[in-house]
Amino acid sequence: MALRTSSSKPARQPSFARRMILMLIGVAVIFGGVFAVKAIMGKATNDFFDNMPQPPVEVSTFEARSERWSGTAEAVGTLVADNGTDVTTEAGGVVQQIAFESGQAVRKGDLLVQLNTANEQAQLKALDTAARLAITQRDRWRELGDQKLVSRSEVDERIADAATTQAQADAQRALIAQKTIRAPFDGVLGIRQVNLGQYINPGDPIVGLQALDPIHVDFTLPEQRMNEVAIGAPVRLEVDAHPGQAFEAKVTAVEPSVDANTRNFKVRATLANPAGVLRPGTFGRIGFDLGQARELVVVPQTAVSFNPYGNSVYVVVEAPKQAGAEPAPEGMPQATHVVKQRFVTTGPTRGDLVGITDGLKPGEVVVTSGLLRLRNDAGVTINNKVQPAAQARPEPENR
């Protein structure tokens, strides 16, 4: 009897799609683990740096003090002559006569330079002769016209001829006058820039002329002071050429508009200068009173961080003592103070100092150097061996 054997089926192989899914799952698990490890390491690094003790910043400080500042303002300006010009000529020609010396004081109308006018004078004689003849003919034809011996149109023609020839003679006289250069106003001449026999063109400078008495000083002020300056207000002027001497002037003009680029407006003050000691172009320091004196908290300008969004200072306070706080690492100084950033309202300035009208009290200590390295609550150490300048009237050493 034959035994019946069952046929064995071959093992079923997994499909391609299933193998692909398994492979993707494996890749995701591997890369996920890599990214997880990287994220954990990054967080640990950030925590380390966040908690790492920062070395304190070494700064210099200044104790804010109260000062009584009078209502004064200061500005810088330039002295300007009442009248000033480079004398020139309207007509070209050869210099025939020079009637002045360099640096000479002259009066209005004084002869300065005479150009050669021989040719123009000869032409003027001919034109004057023609003008006299035309006038004689005009008068004769008028008599004939009154007697009805000639027509009215012929009389008018003779009148026009006489006027034309007379105008030509006047034009020639004006040309000769243009070649006679005279002082246009009283003043002091500069250095001569022409020589005898030299040909000069129209517009070439001959000599400078400046009217020194009175003299003006022009300066600018910020728009905030527009209502604080009035016509007739007294002004003090100091110049380097006369150290220690103050000149009294009065405001004579205020520009009605403010410069849109600088937000400043222009002011002109005038003062007598009979001796001519003040000269145009000189640099001047101007001071003037604005009203009553007031109390201000004063700090050096280096202590203020000027920003578009507001001015601020760093106030130094004692470092808070925390229980269980770890000491500074070896080699790192211990921070004895911390700084607090505080916004303030600044007022007038004097030299190296600036007045604080709001946000700071007398006696508070502010940082005067190292502001760029600071942040709120940063630890600092104080070193006042070297201090920034803090003078109301600084006088730099002349080396």
Side-chain angles (χ1 to χ4, degrees):
M1 180 177 178
L3 295 175
R4 186 179 179 183
T5 61
S6 61
S7 60
S8 60
K9 295 183 179 179
R12 187 176 180 183
Q13 297 295 328
S15 64
F16 175 77
R18 185 179 179 185
R19 292 198 302 271
M20 182 61 67
I21 292 173
L22 294 175
M23 182 185 70
L24 292 177
I25 293 173
V27 170
V29 170
I30 294 173
F31 278 95
V34 171
F35 286 117
V37 172
K38 188 173 182 64
I40 293 172
M41 293 177 62
K43 184 178 184 303
T45 303
N46 291 335
D47 292 340
F48 172 77
F49 284 108
D50 290 341
N51 298 322
M52 184 177 67
Q54 296 292 328
V57 180
E58 189 176 72
V59 297
S60 60
T61 60
F62 181 89
E63 183 177 345
R65 63 175 183 259
S66 178
E67 290 188 3
R68 188 172 180 82
W69 283 8
S70 59
T72 61
E74 296 181 349
V76 295
T78 302
L79 272 68
V80 181
D82 187 51
N83 280 305
T85 187
D86 284 332
V87 180
T88 184
T89 176
E90 298 180 73
V94 176
V95 177
Q96 188 178 44
Q97 178 187 0
I98 298 177
F100 70 91
E101 296 292 336
S102 298
Q104 175 184 340
V106 294
R107 307 288 294 180
K108 180 180 179 179
D110 288 352
L111 177 65
L112 300 180
V113 171
Q114 177 64 62
L115 302 183
N116 185 11
T117 59
N119 185 43
E120 289 79 3
Q121 293 285 357
Q123 293 180 12
L124 179 60
K125 290 181 180 179
L127 291 173
D128 280 340
T129 301
R132 287 194 296 270
L133 176 60
I135 291 173
T136 300
Q137 291 179 345
R138 178 198 63 188
D139 295 341
R140 186 178 301 157
W141 281 79
R142 277 179 175 173
E143 294 176 0
L144 294 176
D146 294 340
Q147 299 174 9
K148 306 297 183 182
L149 298 178
V150 294
S151 64
R152 184 62 187 174
S153 63
E154 292 176 318
V155 176
D156 292 341
E157 184 177 350
R158 293 298 184 272
I159 293 174
D161 289 343
T164 300
T165 53
Q166 185 62 45
Q168 291 174 348
D170 291 341
Q172 191 67 15
R173 288 190 184 88
L175 177 60
I176 294 173
Q178 289 178 353
K179 293 193 174 185
T180 304
I181 296 93
R182 300 182 180 275
F185 49 83
D186 298 350
V188 178
L189 297 173
I191 298 176
R192 174 166 58 90
Q193 301 184 48
V194 295
N195 300 296
L196 285 173
Q198 176 183 347
Y199 181 85
I200 57 176
N201 295 304
D204 287 349
I206 296 174
V207 65
L209 177 61
Q210 302 289 330
L212 302 181
D213 186 27
I215 196 167
H216 310 289
V217 55
D218 291 346
F219 56 97
T220 58
L221 293 173
E223 61 181 347
Q224 293 87 347
R225 301 196 183 279
M226 177 64 80
N227 296 327
E228 299 175 350
V229 180
I231 301 298
V235 170
R236 296 182 303 277
L237 171 67
E238 296 179 359
V239 295
D240 292 337
H242 302 277
Q245 183 177 358
F247 299 88
E248 297 296 329
K250 288 187 177 181
V251 174
T252 53
V254 178
E255 190 71 34
S257 62
V258 176
D259 190 330
N261 295 321
T262 62
R263 304 302 179 188
N264 294 334
F265 65 97
K266 192 174 182 180
V267 182
R268 167 168 287 186
T270 305
L271 66 156
N273 187 32
V277 295
L278 300 176
R279 295 305 176 98
T282 303
F283 170 83
R285 290 179 293 275
I286 298 94
F288 51 93
D289 296 328
L290 296 177
Q292 298 293 330
R294 57 175 175 169
E295 294 288 339
L296 290 174
V297 179
V298 177
V299 297
Q301 295 193 44
T302 56
V304 182
S305 177
F306 297 94
N307 300 295
Y309 53 83
N311 303 329
S312 63
V313 297
Y314 283 100
V315 181
V316 180
V317 297
E318 293 287 340
K321 296 181 179 180
Q322 298 179 358
E326 297 182 0
E330 185 178 355
M332 181 183 297
Q334 184 72 38
T336 57
H337 298 79
V338 295
V339 293
K340 300 288 186 180
Q341 188 177 29
R342 186 183 301 174
F343 286 94
V344 296
T345 303
T346 57
T349 60
R350 282 190 180 180
D352 301 321
L353 301 176
V354 59
I356 305 297
T357 59
D358 186 39
L360 195 65
K361 296 179 180 180
E364 292 187 300
V365 179
V366 295
V367 176
T368 58
S369 64
L371 273 66
L372 296 178
R373 297 180 294 165
L374 296 179
R375 54 181 174 81
N376 202 27
D377 294 324
V380 296
T381 58
I382 299 175
N383 183 359
N384 288 328
K385 292 182 179 179
V386 179
Q387 284 275 17
Q391 300 177 6
R393 290 183 174 272
E395 296 181 359
E397 183 180 354
N398 187 11
R399 297 182 177 180

